[in-house]
Amino acid sequence: MLYPQSNRFRQCFDLSGFWEIRFDPENAGEAQGWSAGFRDGRPIAVPASWNEQFAELRDYLGAAWYQTRFELPARIESHKHFLRFGSVNYLADVWLNGVWLGRHEGGHLPFEFDVTGKLRFDGNLLVVRVDGSLAPDRVPPGNVPRDPLDRFVEFNYPDGSFDFFPYCGIHRPVLLYSTHRAGISDLTVTTDIEGDAGLVQVQVARAETSSARARLTLQGRGDPLAAEVEIEAGAEVVLRIPHADLWSPGSPHLYQLTVELENEGQVFDRYTLPVGIRTVKVDGDRLLLNDQPIYLKGFGRHEDFPVVGRGFLPALIVKDSALMQWVGANSFRTTHYPYSEQMMDLADRLGFLVIDETPAVGLFFDEPGLDRRLQLCRQYTQELIARDKNHPSVIAWSLANEPHSWRPAAKPFFQDLYDLARSLDTARPITVVTHVGVEEEAFEFVDFMCLNRYYGWYTDPGDLDLGCQKLSAELDALYAKYHKPLILTEFGADTIPGCHAEQPEMFSEEYQAEMLTRYIEVLRTKPFVVGEHVWNLCDFKTGQSTRRVGGFNLKGIFTRDRKPKLAAHKLRELWHRPEK
Ligand code: GCB
């Protein structure tokens, strides 16, 4: 799936701005014909979550209707037109001029509708019904029934099976774009290395097959035209770049691939894609980038900020990337859902290695609803790989975070997802992030292991000596059983900024700094550990529970407004040391 572009042959208009919203707690909108337009809407910003824009609707997750009007700026008969949504959480039904275009389930992934022939040239009405309710058969799930006899179970309000606020709304840009009918519909780029040459394999897919030729050029830094070739459009080609500049965190070199389609000497479409030449492999205990061992230092993070909630905010992704660089991170995981496409573009440019995670968090394996959850996870895996397959920054796919994998049904579930991901991408390693440990059913077949651990916090609170012993023992046990490389994908401590203690004590800035330091000491003694991701880059909004003071997870090494805690400075010192 290509991100829309504007150039001489393609047009793209961003419909972001002030829309109107009407909340529909009684689910009356459909019967009352709101799909053809509604009255009494309140202004709302798109993209952004509704929960932060209207204080009284913070916890409202039910149905809401959005509408906006737009005119098509130019009439281009030879073109197809699409409406594309970057992310709507959770369920979206879309109508254009009163006609239902379709439905998409799941936030954080793009979807689009072909609206060719459906647009009016004198003005259009776009209506979107969004439903953000939590349900056991949705992914991520929520409102999952608990054992009524279990008096000690933790409840959240709202009750998501995950630890972040279930923000709702239109979260990323809504785009109207036009391409030539017979234009480029997709590009798939894979890269390889042969000696000091780079190999760039490009597959050009087209919307319609009519006679056309494709001209591919690859422009580099020093050598402006690295390669040029002409093929029959729709075909596949390998470009060979002698003395290639490889992509890596220290030197994220990007070539510009331009594909042009032409017919009888007339160019009718063009798409430009940044390409980083690199390889990723798992080899025994090691993770290799360009055939060299690589060690990941980085974070889990959330798309989360006051006022916009989970809405796309360009300055925030620049800021967070800069903070990660300042600390010395070379990587991050898209916890617990795919981040914006713009964040992935930045990762390519800045040289972050990304473990790209689907929105499958809090999965459980009880009936009813298991098959529906699997089908949704399959859809997310397909959509994520289609969206992000061309990013050099993406070095692995994560199929889920902390599934309840102690149930036997977890094994066939993840085997199915693993096989699907492998069939869609033969090159990248695939993983599952567990909190189950040695009993994790999926560790038998994933390419490397990811573990989240909080010894010295949720278990053995306050006791970092015991916590570190347990961590060390568990890492050894995992390696002894599976013989695969491992990344500690979460570890951290809630920390109240400004809370200090002479001797490290829970919730103080000293305790967080001490815990991260001691965990890292343990990790560095294990040759099979290939990375450390601290939980979290910044404090973030959650539901309410006894664990979440003020409705926040405070494990950020930066506050929610991006001010450093002591641990940020400590980590910066550790990660700038030369050894790993
Ligand atoms: C975890 C989860 C993450 C939570 C974190 C915590 O294991 O993966 O979503 O926020 O623990 O702080 O409890």
Side-chain angles (χ1 to χ4, degrees):
M1 185 184 220
L2 296 177
Y3 197 82
Q5 260 176 16
S6 281
N7 58 33
R8 268 179 58 212
F9 311 100
R10 298 176 160 246
Q11 293 187 348
C12 175
F13 307 100
D14 192 340
L15 302 181
S16 303
F18 293 125
W19 292 33
E20 285 182 292
I21 194 164
R22 194 160 161 190
F23 294 95
D24 186 13
E26 310 296 331
N27 267 324
E30 197 141 12
Q32 291 179 13
W34 295 5
S35 56
F38 52 85
R39 290 161 186 263
D40 305 323
R42 299 166 75 168
I44 185 160
V46 169
S49 305
W50 73 57
N51 317 74
E52 291 257 347
Q53 292 181 71
F54 308 110
E56 74 282 12
L57 292 159
R58 185 194 62 204
D59 299 327
Y60 178 72
L61 309 178
W65 295 70
Y66 284 77
Q67 67 182 13
T68 190
R69 290 171 202 279
F70 65 91
E71 276 192 32
L72 191 63
R75 186 169 186 151
I76 313 167
E77 295 298 355
S78 59
H79 277 44
K80 287 182 144 224
H81 307 285
F82 298 88
L83 266 171
R84 184 189 202 267
F85 295 79
S87 162
V88 179
N89 198 42
Y90 170 84
L91 189 66
D93 281 278
V94 182
W95 290 263
L96 180 65
N97 302 322
V99 177
W100 186 66
L101 296 178
R103 162 175 283 200
H104 182 266
E105 182 160 358
H108 324 288
L109 285 161
F111 55 95
E112 61 183 31
F113 302 103
D114 185 341
V115 291
T116 317
K118 295 183 177 136
L119 289 165
R120 294 192 189 140
F121 289 92
D122 55 348
N124 295 277
L125 174 70
L126 177 62
V127 175
V128 185
R129 179 183 181 277
V130 182
D131 172 0
S133 21
L134 297 169
D137 63 350
R138 292 186 168 185
V139 178
N143 290 321
V144 177
R146 310 289 215 289
D147 178 351
L149 297 179
D150 186 353
R151 287 185 296 128
F152 299 106
V153 74
E154 265 292 315
F155 280 97
N156 293 321
Y157 180 72
D159 192 15
S161 299
F162 46 87
D163 183 35
F164 51 92
F165 194 84
Y167 283 117
C168 315
I170 301 180
H171 281 160
R172 294 182 191 152
V174 181
L175 305 176
L176 173 69
Y177 75 93
S178 312
T179 59
H180 193 280
R181 281 178 186 278
I184 301 158
S185 60
D186 199 10
L187 296 172
T188 306
V189 175
T190 49
T191 63
D192 209 345
I193 302 168
E194 226 177 60
D196 68 350
L199 305 181
V200 179
Q201 187 186 55
V202 187
Q203 236 176 303
V204 184
R206 291 181 58 210
E208 274 174 25
T209 42
S210 56
S211 104
R213 292 192 56 81
R215 206 171 82 93
L216 283 71
T217 55
L218 200 64
Q219 292 205 268
R221 195 165 30 197
D223 174 6
L225 199 59
E228 184 173 3
V229 68
E230 282 194 29
I231 55 168
E232 285 306 313
E236 187 179 299
V237 70
V238 178
L239 304 173
R240 191 187 175 85
I241 297 97
H243 318 296
D245 283 318
L246 303 183
W247 185 96
S248 69
S251 173
H253 181 69
L254 293 173
Y255 290 86
Q256 291 300 318
L257 171 71
T258 302
V259 181
E260 278 185 347
L261 296 185
E262 55 180 59
N263 189 12
E264 293 172 359
Q266 288 284 313
V267 177
F268 63 89
D269 194 15
R270 180 197 307 142
Y271 195 89
T272 305
L273 187 73
V275 170
I277 301 175
R278 57 105 186 92
T279 58
V280 187
K281 283 176 211 144
V282 171
D283 175 34
D285 297 353
R286 300 175 315 162
L287 185 62
L288 304 181
L289 183 82
N290 304 334
D291 291 324
Q292 298 299 315
I294 183 106
Y295 190 86
L296 272 51
K297 294 181 267 192
F299 296 95
R301 187 186 154 261
H302 272 293
E303 291 184 329
D304 172 278
F305 204 62
V307 186
V308 293
R310 192 142 293 125
F312 171 59
L313 190 59
L316 186 67
I317 61 174
V318 171
K319 177 79 182 170
D320 283 0
S321 304
L323 291 179
M324 288 194 282
Q325 287 185 317
W326 179 81
V327 182
N330 63 7
S331 66
F332 61 85
R333 172 169 62 112
T334 68
T335 53
H336 297 306
Y337 40 78
Y339 293 169
S340 66
E341 290 156 274
Q342 291 79 359
M343 180 78 183
M344 305 307 287
D345 290 341
L346 269 187
D348 292 342
R349 291 179 62 176
L350 300 176
F352 286 109
L353 304 166
V354 182
I355 300 177
D356 205 1
E357 188 160 283
T358 74
V361 53
L363 279 178
F364 64 105
F365 299 91
D366 294 346
E367 297 287 1
L370 184 58
D371 190 54
R372 210 180 106 74
R373 288 193 293 276
L374 176 60
Q375 292 318 317
L376 274 167
C377 288
R378 288 180 62 92
Q379 175 201 317
Y380 297 162
T381 303
Q382 280 162 331
E383 290 176 347
L384 178 65
I385 295 178
R387 193 194 79 159
D388 287 351
K389 62 186 174 184
N390 292 328
H391 287 285
S393 55
V394 175
I395 57 156
W397 306 111
S398 161
L399 301 176
N401 180 69
E402 298 197 354
H404 301 189
S405 300
W406 50 84
R407 300 271 180 180
K411 195 168 178 176
F413 191 101
F414 283 114
Q415 185 73 64
D416 184 288
L417 287 182
Y418 181 94
D419 293 345
L420 174 68
R422 181 53 70 233
S423 71
L424 297 169
D425 182 346
T426 54
R428 289 180 179 89
I430 299 165
T431 188
V432 166
V433 178
T434 196
H435 64 321
V436 172
V438 285
E439 302 303 327
E440 171 58 59
E441 298 279 359
F443 277 180
E444 275 183 34
F445 45 85
V446 294
D447 301 308
F448 63 88
M449 302 184 279
C450 289
L451 176 72
N452 297 343
R453 272 298 170 250
Y454 293 93
Y455 296 121
W457 188 257
Y458 294 125
T459 53
D460 315 303
D463 191 344
L464 286 177
D465 289 338
L466 185 59
C468 287
Q469 279 169 30
K470 287 193 175 173
L471 174 70
S472 175
E474 185 178 20
L475 294 173
D476 291 341
L478 275 162
Y479 183 68
K481 182 162 177 189
Y482 297 104
H483 291 285
K484 293 180 183 183
L486 182 145
I487 298 174
L488 194 69
T489 30
E490 287 183 23
F491 59 109
D494 287 81
T495 304
I496 300 167
C499 172
H500 291 286
E502 271 184 332
Q503 293 300 314
E505 190 169 14
M506 290 175 77
F507 294 99
S508 68
E509 295 199 26
E510 285 75 8
Y511 193 83
Q512 183 185 39
E514 178 80 2
M515 182 175 182
L516 300 184
T517 307
R518 297 200 43 192
Y519 263 60
I520 287 172
E521 273 165 23
V522 173
L523 299 175
R524 301 289 176 94
T525 63
K526 316 279 177 198
F528 56 88
V529 171
V530 294
E532 54 202 36
H533 278 178
V534 167
W535 191 255
N536 189 284
L537 181 68
C538 302
D539 294 344
F540 60 91
K541 186 93 188 84
T542 63
Q544 299 172 63
S545 79
T546 48
R547 289 178 173 190
R548 297 288 170 254
V549 180
F552 292 104
N553 184 312
L554 298 175
K555 295 195 184 69
I557 64 156
F558 293 92
T559 59
R560 201 185 189 206
D561 62 353
R562 275 60 184 166
K563 298 281 185 300
K565 300 179 190 173
L566 188 64
H569 292 282
K570 182 72 208 175
L571 212 51
R572 181 166 196 258
E573 195 186 302
L574 292 173
W575 282 354
H576 279 92
R577 285 192 190 148
E579 72 267 28
K580 260 194 174 172

